[in-house]
């Protein structure tokens, strides 16, 4: 882990029309290089909103988001899209694999979008997640746990600075979820990337270096035993 912030957020605020309070209220926090941080919160607490702001998919009402030293709030929508493709990896609850692409093609998608047609790194990652022999299969031939492992390979293949995992075990059984999150955290540490995990799972949060709780629009750092 390095002491240089890979992600730095300052005064981040997001309001929704007709809501009496901001869903995110002046958030300040940082994630260092190589650090794994869990954001723990109940459904509807604003975790997905926070991740959309960090990714530049949504625009904040106030504050700034910096990834790898680049302030996304100062970029145009087009430049945020290009930045996202090159510097951020994503793991979603529902995998988001493209059904008409093979396992290898799905894992290679970030490279393809960035104009890189090499496949060596794709094959290395598929081997690392235990799917080297499924490269030519389509997603509908895979279990949920296998699909999530393809998504993990896809998130890491372009060597992003930051990986955002939004409820990565939420659509998996306990055994598959445990294997997927262990692979995600192990590969993240191996590559020196930073990982931010949105979760309501205490088991997932225990794999993190730090745990933040999002409640009533504010983030607080958890200390002591984790329990609701």
């Amino acid at each position: 882990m390095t002491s240089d912030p890979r992600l730095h957020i300052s005064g981040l605020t997001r309001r929704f029309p007709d809501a009496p309070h901001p869903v995110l209220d002046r958030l300040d926090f940082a994630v260092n290089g190589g650090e794994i941080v869990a954001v723990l919160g109940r459904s509807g607490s604003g975790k997905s909103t926070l991740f959309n702001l960090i990714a530049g998919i949504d625009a904040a009402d106030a504050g700034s988001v910096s990834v790898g030293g680049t302030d996304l709030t100062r970029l145009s929508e087009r430049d945020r899209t290009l930045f996202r493709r090159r510097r951020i990896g994503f793991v979603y609850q529902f995998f988001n694999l493209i059904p008409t692409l093979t396992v290898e093609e799905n894992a290679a998608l970030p490279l393809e979008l960035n104009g890189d047609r090499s496949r060596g790194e794709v094959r290395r990652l598929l081997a690392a997640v235990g799917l080297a022999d499924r490269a030519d299969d389509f997603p509908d031939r895979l279990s949920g746990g296998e699909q999530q492992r393809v998504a993990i390979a896809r998130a890491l293949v372009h060597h992003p600075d930051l990986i955002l995992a939004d409820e990565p075990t939420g659509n998996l059984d306990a055994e598959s979820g445990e294997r997927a999150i262990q692979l995600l955290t192990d590969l993240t540490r191996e590559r020196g990337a930073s990982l931010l995990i949105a979760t309501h799972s205490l088991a997932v949060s225990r794999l993190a270096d730090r745990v933040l709780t999002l409640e009533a629009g504010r983030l607080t750092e958890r200390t002591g035993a984790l329990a609701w």
Side-chain angles (χ1 to χ4, degrees):
M1 189 188 309
T2 70
S3 58
D4 297 327
R6 193 68 56 82
L7 168 68
H8 187 269
I9 284 178
S10 178
L12 192 65
T13 300
R14 185 70 172 100
R15 301 179 182 89
F16 291 143
D18 302 322
H21 305 289
V23 64
L24 302 174
D25 188 10
R26 296 165 293 169
L27 303 189
D28 297 291
F29 75 100
V31 179
N32 291 323
E35 188 176 25
I36 295 174
V37 176
V39 178
L40 196 64
R42 294 180 174 86
S43 296
S45 62
K47 300 188 302 295
S48 294
T49 299
L50 173 61
F51 276 41
N52 285 339
L53 293 176
I54 292 171
I57 295 169
D58 192 10
D61 293 296
S64 63
V65 175
S66 177
V67 177
T70 298
D71 186 350
L72 272 66
T73 58
R74 295 180 179 272
L75 300 180
S76 67
E77 184 175 352
R78 177 182 181 277
D79 286 343
R80 288 199 307 270
T81 298
L82 293 174
F83 184 91
R84 202 161 46 238
R85 288 179 184 175
R86 294 167 183 158
R87 306 283 292 278
I88 301 176
F90 297 91
V91 180
Y92 304 95
Q93 178 175 351
F94 295 104
F95 323 134
N96 286 15
L97 301 182
I98 298 175
T100 56
L101 299 182
T102 66
V103 163
E104 183 174 309
E105 289 166 341
N106 268 286
L109 193 56
L111 296 179
E112 294 276 354
L113 290 172
N114 291 326
D116 183 349
R117 298 186 179 276
S118 61
R119 293 296 176 92
E121 184 66 3
V122 178
R123 293 173 184 134
R124 280 191 291 273
L125 274 169
L126 289 179
V129 300
L131 293 172
D133 60 340
R134 308 299 299 273
D136 295 327
D137 287 341
F138 289 92
D140 64 356
R141 300 291 302 275
L142 305 182
S143 68
E146 289 169 333
Q147 290 187 58
Q148 192 62 298
R149 283 186 271 148
V150 176
I152 289 168
R154 179 185 61 193
L156 289 157
V157 72
H158 56 306
H159 293 277
D161 293 317
L162 176 67
I163 300 158
L164 300 175
D166 192 356
E167 299 286 1
T169 63
N171 202 37
L172 300 175
D173 61 67
E175 182 178 351
S176 297
E178 182 179 349
R179 181 174 184 186
I181 199 65
Q182 193 67 63
L183 278 168
L184 178 58
T185 54
D186 287 350
L187 288 168
T188 296
R189 293 187 196 280
E190 177 185 305
R191 288 164 170 259
S194 298
L195 172 62
L196 194 64
I197 309 172
T199 185
H200 60 265
S201 167
L202 297 177
V204 170
S205 68
R206 291 189 181 101
L207 294 173
D209 300 310
R210 287 190 294 135
V211 178
L212 306 174
T213 299
L214 182 58
E215 189 172 13
R218 304 306 301 271
L219 277 174
T220 56
E221 187 153 356
R222 293 292 295 250
T223 58
L226 294 171
W228 286 120

